[in-house]
Amino acid sequence: MAGLWFEEFHEGQHFRHELSRTVTESDNITFSLMSMNPQPLHIDFNFAKSTEWGQPLFNSMFTFAIMVGLSVPDTTLGTTVGNLGFQEVSFPAPVFHGDTLRSETMVLSKRPSRSRPEQGLVEFEHRCFKQDDTLVGVCTRIALMRMKPETE
């Protein structure tokens, strides 16, 4: 698997993820409606023209998903048990249709699990930027990670 085992992470480790994603009008409308979010700021161009943004605002929950999702191939692909929680989620700048998002990850801490001897907890900070390097999203995440299997 491309993901790292618990033992392969260390505090201060930094990843600048290679993948990026340009977001589209279709992405925004589809995600908003599929997630039962009929907010006109996301799906109604006429309404959005009258706001301070002057155009539809990209759904922050999708920005959040992309921010974390872009990190998966480098960090947790196939080696995570699951996410235990997200904290301190913020969106310091808006995202609009046509913006290209990229993500970076920092390992904040790690410790072996007290109740699962073959697993450990890794605390990540994810940061999302758009094409001009404007910070558009930040969150911390705790993931329960598998330890490297012992070979026989």
Side-chain angles (χ1 to χ4, degrees), residues 1-5 8-9 71-80 145:
M1 288 293 166
L4 300 179
W5 303 104
E8 297 175 302
F9 290 106
S71 76
V72 169
D74 296 327
T75 58
T76 63
L77 184 63
T79 55
T80 188
M145 301 298 300

Side-chain angles (χ1 to χ4, degrees), residues 2 6 24 45 62 71 76 87-88 108 134:
F6 172 77
T24 68
F45 277 74
F62 199 7
S71 76
T76 63
Q87 302 171 22
E88 301 176 32
L108 300 178
T134 300

Side-chain angles (χ1 to χ4, degrees), residues 71-127:
S71 76
V72 169
D74 296 327
T75 58
T76 63
L77 184 63
T79 55
T80 188
V81 178
N83 291 319
L84 300 183
F86 294 89
Q87 302 171 22
E88 301 176 32
V89 178
S90 65
F91 304 101
V95 174
F96 301 105
H97 306 150
D99 283 336
T100 298
L101 304 180
R102 68 175 183 82
S103 190
E104 296 184 12
T105 299
M106 177 78 69
V107 176
L108 300 178
S109 66
K110 66 177 254 189
R111 70 168 178 82
S113 172
R114 293 184 192 106
S115 60
R116 297 176 175 222
E118 294 167 5
Q119 299 170 359
L121 291 87
V122 178
E123 180 183 23
F124 298 104
E125 178 186 72
H126 300 292
R127 292 180 168 265

